[in-house]
Amino acid sequence: FRESLSLISISLVSGFLHNLTQLIVVYILMFRNVDITNRAILAFILIFLGIGALSGIITGYIAEKIKIRKVNIYNEKIFWN
């Protein structure tokens, strides 16, 4: 996947999925009996997921700009393209 996806797109998906997982865990542990179709709760969920996606974009952009190095198993330094 690394050849076809940029760091920004990987970070965007990672931020979104991280927040989605957090919301699912909180729902399972605390709010199983709460109706999630309430407009306020849906707005919170959308804002929370949007902030996760935005932070992923910012993280990916910063990573692209500083060219994060990756070390392979042979200890050769290679750069993300």
Side-chain angles (χ1 to χ4, degrees):
F1 289 104
R2 210 175 290 158
E3 293 80 26
S4 60
L5 297 175
S6 69
L7 282 177
I8 295 174
S9 61
I10 292 170
S11 294
L12 170 92
V13 172
S14 298
F16 180 83
L17 290 178
H18 174 75
N19 281 358
L20 181 64
T21 304
Q22 284 182 334
L23 286 171
I24 290 169
V25 169
V26 166
Y27 176 75
I28 290 170
L29 294 178
M30 300 179 72
F31 299 111
R32 274 182 255 164
N33 298 325
V34 175
D35 182 25
I36 62 169
T37 58
N38 185 353
R39 292 184 107 191
I41 293 174
L42 287 176
F44 171 76
I45 290 171
L46 292 175
I47 290 169
F48 195 71
L49 292 176
I51 290 171
L54 181 64
S55 66
I57 290 171
I58 292 168
T59 303
Y61 179 77
I62 292 170
E64 286 279 344
K65 289 299 175 187
I66 62 174
K67 297 285 185 182
I68 290 182
R69 295 180 195 180
K70 180 180 178 230
V71 177
N72 64 12
I73 60 174
Y74 303 110
N75 291 328
E76 298 169 348
K77 290 184 180 178
I78 54 176
F79 292 91
W80 291 75
N81 291 330

